[in-house]
Amino acid sequence: MTPTASSTASARPNRLRPLLGALLAAASLATLTGCSNDDVADVSLGIFTFKDIKLNAFVDPKIPGVTCHVASIESPLSLSDPSDSAVSCRQTGEITPEMIASIRKGGEGEVLFEKSKSIFLKTMKVRRIYDEANQTLMYLSYSTKEISGSFKHSLSTVPLWGTAAYVKPMPVPPK
């Protein structure tokens, strides 16, 4: 039995329904995974761009006296969000010598925050690095994917000056 043109045409929408359902489910999941308890604000970049600036906040888990705010651009209709981000960290409570002793030292530091920016393994991260010589906590926001020959990044610092963790430098002896 040969299908007629009308029976073939009516079968096509039935084949598209599972695909459309899967696409809607994926879009809903992508929207939900972008939401979290650390969301502070969502600023629209305009009706026709479908992009927003998302603002997130997090407290440094080992130094709860530091709060960081991260801004990044997100688009629910894109497979890959822009790599641009900004980070700003401030002292919002006590910083003790015990807290500083508990963090990883060295040039690599520790990753404190991660956010997927693409289905193609691009991630935005915030890493804490301790500059012991200058007694400063550095928070580096960066993308793990090179864009136009450059990795997008942003830096914020929190000096220990004025905290219980600050160690007065030894005076340099005269020559």
Side-chain angles (χ1 to χ4, degrees), residues 11-149:
R12 281 189 191 136
N14 290 335
R15 286 187 217 151
L16 291 178
R17 281 191 185 129
L19 178 62
L20 289 174
L23 287 173
L24 284 173
S28 298
L29 181 62
T31 302
L32 290 175
T33 57
C35 299
S36 64
N37 292 336
D38 63 352
D39 286 349
V40 174
D42 184 352
V43 179
S44 173
L45 292 175
I47 296 171
F48 300 108
T49 66
F50 300 109
K51 293 181 181 174
D52 297 332
I53 298 175
K54 300 284 186 176
L55 300 174
N56 299 97
F58 70 91
V59 173
D60 186 322
K62 291 188 179 174
I63 305 178
V66 174
T67 302
C68 295
H69 291 89
V70 181
S72 62
I73 297 174
E74 293 184 13
S75 174
L77 301 177
S78 176
L79 296 177
S80 179
D81 290 327
S83 297
D84 295 317
S85 67
V87 63
S88 183
C89 301
R90 297 291 182 265
Q91 179 184 353
T92 55
E94 185 178 12
I95 301 175
T96 66
E98 295 79 21
M99 292 175 192
I100 298 301
S102 73
I103 66 174
R104 184 178 302 159
K105 308 296 191 291
E108 288 295 313
E110 297 178 72
V111 173
L112 305 178
F113 180 87
E114 289 188 60
K115 190 173 201 178
S116 176
K117 300 302 281 176
S118 168
I119 62 169
F120 304 111
L121 304 175
K122 179 170 61 170
T123 305
M124 179 193 61
K125 296 181 179 184
V126 176
R127 182 178 293 268
R128 180 203 334 100
I129 301 169
Y130 180 53
D131 176 2
E132 192 167 4
N134 294 297
Q135 297 188 59
T136 301
L137 298 166
M138 300 184 299
Y139 294 85
L140 177 67
S141 171
Y142 61 98
S143 168
T144 59
K145 185 171 180 173
E146 186 176 350
I147 306 296
S148 301

